[in-house]
Amino acid sequence: MTKTLQDLIDESIFISTEYQARLAEISGDSEWTVDFSAPSFTLDSDPSVSLDPYLLGTESDQRGSWIWSWQELGHFPDVVVTAAVQAREAGEHLGVQELTTDELVLSEGLARRLTLASKAVTGVFAHYPAAAGGGVRAWLLVDGPQLELPEPTVNRMGRIMAQALQTNTAVHHQRAVDSYARLRGAHISWDTEACAVITAADGALRLWFDDHSISGIEQAEPVVSKRELAQAAKDADKHRQALREEARRSLAIAQRESEQQRLSREEAEAQRVAATEAALASEDE
């Protein structure tokens, strides 16, 4: 199966919006600090909140490019670059070139688009663009139990979708709605490509589509039982667990590649020193 960068963006945009709203709730206007050696991303709120940071990459206005953090491993703890490696591995599997190209020329909104796509393949749905000085921004995914979302309700999901659509980020709304419902553990059923019903604990919504865009939303009667709702929640949890397993494999890849790069750098340095010593010896003859 192949996908495009926009496919992945569509799959993550709604749940990303909900997680960003949750992050805003706990952070407010508080200052933040990041310590990759810990690693920790700390919000100086009351009380303070410490989250797990994952560095996807950096965008530089001066350089005019985006650089993935896996381009040169060893500068950060392996766990910090796990999400970036996981995104790269998924990109190779799905044929998404933007996730596998180490450096990309900057364009409007590129860093945010890459971040949204990475969310779809890592299951880490909150992000923070951290100013690093000199026109450089580090794009982080952040995770932690403090970001856990409440049980899905169609009222909340409806508000989130309406909020996300205002950004004009989603292109294929059917894909976005289907992904959101499944990721949140709600039930979604499709009558046709033009009509779907989302059912959650508080009721149901019927959504109408026209040319891949949502054209209408209305209250509806639930179409499934509590048993089927419980299964939808289990399926969502199973998907999360699968992505966590992929993250563990990505960490092992990061560790292996980091060691290979370290050995390569040491070998290059040894060759440089040997060449310098040989040149000096030749001058002395």
Side-chain angles (χ1 to χ4, degrees):
M1 176 191 299
T2 61
K3 292 186 178 182
T4 67
L5 187 73
Q6 184 61 50
D7 289 340
L8 297 179
I9 292 170
D10 288 339
E11 290 175 9
S12 73
I13 183 59
F14 290 153
I15 196 166
S16 170
T17 300
E18 188 168 10
Y19 269 90
Q20 290 305 114
R22 175 59 184 149
L23 179 60
E25 287 176 6
I26 65 175
S27 64
D29 296 325
S30 60
E31 298 293 325
W32 58 269
T33 56
V34 62
D35 180 0
F36 287 130
S37 64
S40 65
F41 177 82
T42 303
L43 295 165
D44 188 23
S45 51
D46 186 19
S48 64
V49 174
S50 182
L51 302 170
D52 298 323
Y54 301 96
L55 176 63
L56 288 179
T58 56
E59 61 171 343
S60 170
D61 293 336
Q62 182 176 4
R63 186 171 178 140
S65 65
W66 162 277
I67 300 177
W68 286 98
S69 64
W70 47 259
Q71 182 191 31
E72 190 171 1
L73 300 173
H75 296 290
F76 305 97
D78 297 327
V79 68
V80 169
V81 300
T82 297
V85 171
Q86 189 174 358
R88 184 194 67 190
E89 295 298 298
E92 291 178 351
H93 176 68
L94 298 172
V96 182
Q97 184 178 5
E98 295 91 338
L99 301 184
T100 63
T101 304
D102 55 1
E103 186 169 4
L104 297 164
V105 176
L106 278 186
S107 58
E108 181 67 28
L110 175 65
R112 178 174 177 268
R113 290 173 56 79
L114 295 173
T115 299
L116 288 171
S118 297
K119 292 181 178 188
V121 296
T122 63
V124 183
F125 294 110
H127 74 270
Y128 198 98
V136 175
R137 284 169 297 282
W139 285 74
L140 313 173
L141 295 184
V142 292
D143 197 17
Q146 303 91 332
L147 293 173
E148 184 175 352
L149 299 178
E151 181 181 11
T153 65
V154 292
N155 285 335
R156 180 182 176 93
M157 292 176 70
R159 291 195 303 271
I160 290 295
M161 287 188 286
Q163 179 183 344
L165 289 175
Q166 292 177 8
T167 67
N168 294 318
T169 302
V171 172
H172 196 298
H173 292 183
Q174 286 103 321
R175 183 190 300 274
V177 168
D178 190 78
S179 174
Y180 184 37
R182 296 180 191 280
L183 289 171
R184 282 298 270 124
H187 184 277
I188 185 166
S189 60
W190 291 87
D191 296 335
T192 66
E193 289 187 359
C195 182
V197 176
I198 297 176
T199 305
D202 63 332
L205 287 177
R206 178 174 286 104
L207 294 91
W208 300 93
F209 300 86
D210 181 19
D211 193 24
H212 298 313
S213 296
I214 295 175
S215 58
I217 301 178
E218 63 183 13
Q219 295 291 327
E221 290 297 320
V223 297
V224 295
S225 65
K226 291 183 179 180
R227 183 177 181 179
E228 289 170 298
L229 276 179
Q231 184 59 52
K234 289 180 181 179
D235 291 343
D237 184 65
K238 184 178 180 180
H239 179 70
R240 286 192 294 269
Q241 294 299 331
L243 289 177
R244 291 190 185 111
E245 182 58 33
E246 288 296 329
R248 285 189 282 270
R249 283 194 282 268
S250 295
L251 175 58
I253 292 171
Q255 291 169 335
R256 182 174 66 250
E257 292 185 359
S258 178
E259 177 64 11
Q260 290 171 346
Q261 289 188 21
R262 183 187 67 80
L263 292 174
S264 179
R265 287 193 295 269
E266 289 181 355
E267 181 180 357
E269 177 62 16
Q271 291 175 350
R272 186 192 67 78
V273 171
T276 300
E277 291 177 346
L280 291 174
S282 177
E283 291 177 359
D284 292 339
E285 292 179 355

